[in-house]
């Protein structure tokens, strides 16, 4: 089932991120000069200023560090209400904002082990795979 979502940010860097997601991989920019990971997408490294990156594959494993339930319909009927946003600390370090997949509200807990899944979605830019997280 394809879910309609708010429009993604597209353009340099963002397009590469979504292309990796389309292949079922979560990859983040890794600086060629200082080896720091960058997320969200950057045009130049926040640590050393380099603009040379590789796209490094993440394991898709992480832990839940925060979560928030939205009861206000900010997207005017686009999303099923209420919806949850979660903050996952990836095992590689970056914090990643996402949505939970089939995690009951009462099971959302600090330190919960989660793993990556992809949800078939679409927006004005077309079909895409959204990285989400389920219980490990
Ligand atoms: Zn750097």
């Amino acid at each position: 089932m394809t879910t309609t979502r708010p429009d993604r940010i597209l353009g340099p860097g963002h397009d590469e991120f979504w292309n990796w997601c389309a292949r079922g991989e979560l990859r983040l920019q890794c600086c060629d000069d200082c080896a720091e990971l960058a997320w969200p997408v950057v045009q130049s490294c926040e640590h050393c200023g380099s603009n040379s990156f590789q796209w490094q594959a993440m394991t898709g494993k992480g832990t839940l560090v925060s979560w928030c339930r939205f009861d206000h319909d900010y997207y005017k009927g686009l999303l099923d209400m209420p919806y949850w946003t979660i903050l996952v600390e990836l095992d590689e370090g970056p914090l990643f904002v996402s949505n939970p997949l089939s995690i009951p509200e009462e099971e959302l807990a600090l330190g919960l082990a989660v793993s990556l899944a992809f949800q078939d979605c679409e927006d004005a830019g077309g079909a895409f795979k959204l990285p989400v997280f389920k219980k490990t």
Side-chain angles (χ1 to χ4, degrees):
M1 189 181 90
T2 299
T3 304
T4 302
R5 298 283 305 194
D7 291 343
R8 295 162 290 160
I9 296 172
L10 299 175
H14 301 279
D15 292 346
E16 290 87 341
F17 172 79
W18 292 111
N19 287 340
W20 284 114
C21 289
R23 295 180 219 171
E25 292 190 47
L26 179 64
R27 289 189 181 233
L28 303 186
Q29 293 166 301
C30 181
C31 178
D32 280 335
D33 293 316
C34 75
E36 291 284 342
L37 289 168
W39 180 254
V41 169
V42 294
Q43 302 306 316
S44 55
C45 178
E46 295 172 329
H47 300 277
C48 75
S50 172
N51 55 14
S52 180
F53 297 97
Q54 301 291 320
W55 287 87
Q56 183 175 318
M58 302 291 107
T59 60
K61 305 291 185 197
T63 55
L64 190 60
V65 295
S66 190
W67 57 95
C68 182
R69 173 181 161 146
F70 286 84
D71 291 292
H72 183 82
D73 189 8
Y74 290 105
Y75 295 102
K76 303 186 182 340
L78 190 62
L79 302 177
D80 291 337
M81 300 298 300
Y83 66 91
W84 289 85
T85 296
I86 58 175
L87 184 64
V88 173
E89 183 176 5
L90 299 174
D91 279 3
E92 293 82 0
L95 297 172
F96 195 89
V97 175
S98 182
N99 299 117
L101 178 66
S102 303
I103 305 176
E105 177 175 352
E106 62 275 12
E107 294 186 26
L108 293 169
L110 190 62
L112 179 71
V114 293
S115 55
L116 177 68
F118 286 95
Q119 188 173 24
D120 289 322
C121 295
E122 65 182 0
D123 66 6
F128 66 98
K129 291 191 179 296
L130 180 71
V132 294
F133 287 84
K134 60 187 179 186
K135 281 190 351 185
T136 298

